[in-house]
Amino acid sequence: MSAAVLHKLGGSGPDILLIHGFGSDRLSWLATAPKMFQLGTIWAVEYAGHGMAGNDVGDASLSYLSRAIASQIAGKLTKPFVVGHSLGGTLALHLAVRSDPDMSGLLLLAPAGLSDVPANFFIDTLPELTDGAAAHDLLKKLVVRETLITRRMADSFVESLNDVARRTALRTIAAALKTELPPSFPPDIPFTILWGEADAIL
C-alpha cells in the first residue's frame, strides 16, 4: 500500500489540498469540504498510518511523510493552496519547503510543533487505545463541542488499531512529533495561521 493516498472530494477550479491531523483521516473534512467546493477543486490526502494509506513510515521522519504526499500529488495538482490541521499543518510546511510541487499559499490550522510539541498525554495515549470508552474520552478533547465525537467513531478508531502495523506506525509518528523541529517558513509563500483559544491539545 502507498504511504500516501489522494482523494478528490469535489468542487471545480483551482486545486486546494487538505491534510488531516494525527490519528485522523480524510473523513475529518466531510463537514468542511462541501462549503469549499465553490472555491476550487478540493482534494484530501491521507498519509502513512492513517485512513486508506499504508503503514510504511519510512525513516520515521516527518520529512518522509511530506515526500510521500509530494509524490502522490505530483502531476495531479497544479500549484495547490494547502490547508493543514495539527500534524497536517506541519506536513504542509514541510511540503512548502520542498517547493515540489509549487504551491500558491498555506492555511495552517493549529499546526503541531510551531510553538511547542502537542500535549504528550494525547499523542502518547492515542496509539495505545484498546477500549472504546477510553477512546471516546480522549477524542472528545479534540473539540469544544463534545457531541461532535460519537462513541461509534471512537469504537471504529480502536478497531483500526487491531492492525498491529498501524498501531506501530502511529507510535513512530508520535515519537517524531516530539523530537523534530519544524522547518522555517519559505519566504515566497503567503500563509495564514489559525488557532483556537480553547485548544486542549496544542
Side-chain angles (χ1 to χ4, degrees):
M1 296 177 69
S2 174
V5 178
L6 184 65
H7 305 270
K8 184 176 181 180
L9 302 185
S12 61
D15 291 319
I16 300 174
L17 177 67
L18 310 179
I19 308 178
H20 62 78
F22 180 66
S24 190
D25 56 30
R26 72 191 185 285
L27 299 179
S28 66
W29 302 106
L30 285 184
T32 308
K35 300 183 183 301
M36 302 174 69
F37 289 167
Q38 61 182 335
L39 303 176
T41 304
I42 309 302
W43 305 82
V45 68
E46 295 172 319
Y47 46 87
H50 299 78
M52 297 176 66
N55 296 314
D56 179 10
V57 294
D59 63 5
S61 70
L62 302 185
S63 180
Y64 172 85
L65 295 180
S66 74
R67 291 196 302 272
I69 292 172
S71 65
Q72 185 63 218
I73 65 180
K76 299 173 186 172
L77 277 62
T78 303
K79 204 169 183 179
F81 184 89
V82 181
V83 180
H85 171 242
S86 188
L87 172 56
T90 305
L91 293 178
L93 191 52
H94 276 275
L95 202 61
V97 170
R98 293 178 53 82
S99 297
D100 178 25
D102 190 16
M103 61 178 61
S104 61
L106 289 170
L107 173 58
L108 309 181
L109 308 174
L114 296 194
S115 62
D116 198 355
V117 296
N120 285 348
F121 79 86
F122 183 80
I123 61 175
D124 288 342
T125 303
L126 192 75
E128 308 305 327
L129 290 170
T130 58
D131 174 73
H136 194 209
D137 287 341
L138 183 68
L139 295 176
K140 284 190 294 186
K141 297 183 184 302
L142 289 170
V143 296
V144 173
R145 293 170 53 199
E146 294 185 351
T147 54
L148 293 173
I149 306 297
T150 67
R151 176 59 188 269
R152 182 176 179 181
M153 292 167 60
D155 289 339
S156 178
F157 181 78
V158 170
E159 185 177 343
S160 75
L161 295 181
N162 289 335
D163 180 347
V164 175
R166 175 127 306 186
R167 193 182 290 272
T168 300
L170 288 176
R171 287 171 178 156
T172 304
I173 294 171
L177 258 175
K178 290 192 288 184
T179 57
E180 285 193 42
L181 295 174
S184 300
F185 281 85
D188 56 343
I189 298 178
F191 66 89
T192 298
I193 299 177
L194 296 180
W195 220 300
E197 292 181 347
D199 193 326
I201 306 300
L202 295 160

